[in-house]
Amino acid sequence: AAGNDETLARKALEAVAAIGAEPSREAVEAVARDAASPRVAARAGTILATIDAAAGLDALLALSEKASWGARAEAVAALGELSRSDAAFSRVLKLLDDSNREVRSAAYASLRRFRRKDAIAAALQRLEPLQGRDRAQALSYLEWASGKKLGRDAAAWSRWWAGEEAGFRFPGEEAGR
């Protein structure tokens, strides 16, 4: 029953957003704040951001502070949808260092939405001490951003960035940010 409630709530929020109706800011904010399901809360936060950008961001930032790793993972994924927000970007960077592997993985996936040069620098800064899956996530991000496969050597990636940073462009972009 809980799964059905989550599905129904998520579909209702998406339907309101899709038809362009003006949902009550307070009602969507309440769902973002009080939903039992982190997925529903995150979706409500992104919908709230279309009504009131600051309130939506605040809701997602609050969700990203929850004790539940599931809530933090949903929040960091949703923060990627607010890729023009410096505060969202800062929180995604913070969650790259989260204590939970799933949250860190979601943070690397979300980082791709921001398309910022300082995201590459952040991934490079974290690369050297990382091991296993975390290192693979950072390398996958760098390979996506660069279009290069320079292997696991952090020094090779640092040399590449030193030579490319000034004129760097993300794939499909005319000018880097």
Side-chain angles (χ1 to χ4, degrees), residues 80 82 86 89 107-108 112 123 156:
L82 306 180
D86 289 337
F89 178 70
Y108 275 106
R112 294 174 185 224

Side-chain angles (χ1 to χ4, degrees), residues 2 7 13 27 40 50 52 62 65 87 90 96 101 107 114 125 130 141 147 153 155-156 164 168:
T7 300
L13 286 169
V40 171
T50 67
D52 180 335
E65 298 275 334
S90 293
L96 289 174
R101 176 189 313 192
F114 287 89
Q125 178 184 31
L130 294 177
Y141 171 75
D153 181 24
E164 295 291 325
F168 180 76

Side-chain angles (χ1 to χ4, degrees), residues 122-163:
L124 285 170
Q125 178 184 31
R126 287 165 173 79
L127 186 59
E128 185 61 42
L130 294 177
Q131 299 291 322
R133 183 174 166 191
D134 290 325
R135 188 174 187 93
Q137 292 283 335
L139 289 168
S140 175
Y141 171 75
L142 291 170
E143 290 173 358
W144 168 83
S146 68
K148 309 268 185 220
K149 291 197 181 275
L150 301 179
R152 299 179 54 81
D153 181 24
W157 282 105
S158 292
R159 284 190 303 275
W160 165 79
W161 187 237

Side-chain angles (χ1 to χ4, degrees), residues 48-125:
L48 182 58
T50 67
I51 300 166
D52 180 335
L57 176 62
D58 288 347
L60 292 172
L61 292 175
L63 187 61
S64 76
E65 298 275 334
K66 298 278 185 182
S68 159
W69 70 264
R72 294 192 314 276
E74 291 292 343
V76 74
L79 284 167
E81 295 185 37
L82 306 180
S83 62
R84 288 187 163 76
S85 166
D86 289 337
F89 178 70
S90 293
R91 186 56 54 90
V92 170
L93 289 182
K94 178 182 175 186
L95 292 170
L96 289 174
D97 300 320
D98 192 88
S99 62
N100 182 274
R101 176 189 313 192
E102 298 303 323
V103 175
R104 293 189 305 268
S105 179
Y108 275 106
S110 187
L111 201 57
R112 294 174 185 224
R113 310 264 324 251
F114 287 89
R115 301 175 72 87
R116 292 174 53 148
K117 290 165 73 171
D118 46 347
I120 294 172
L124 285 170
Q125 178 184 31

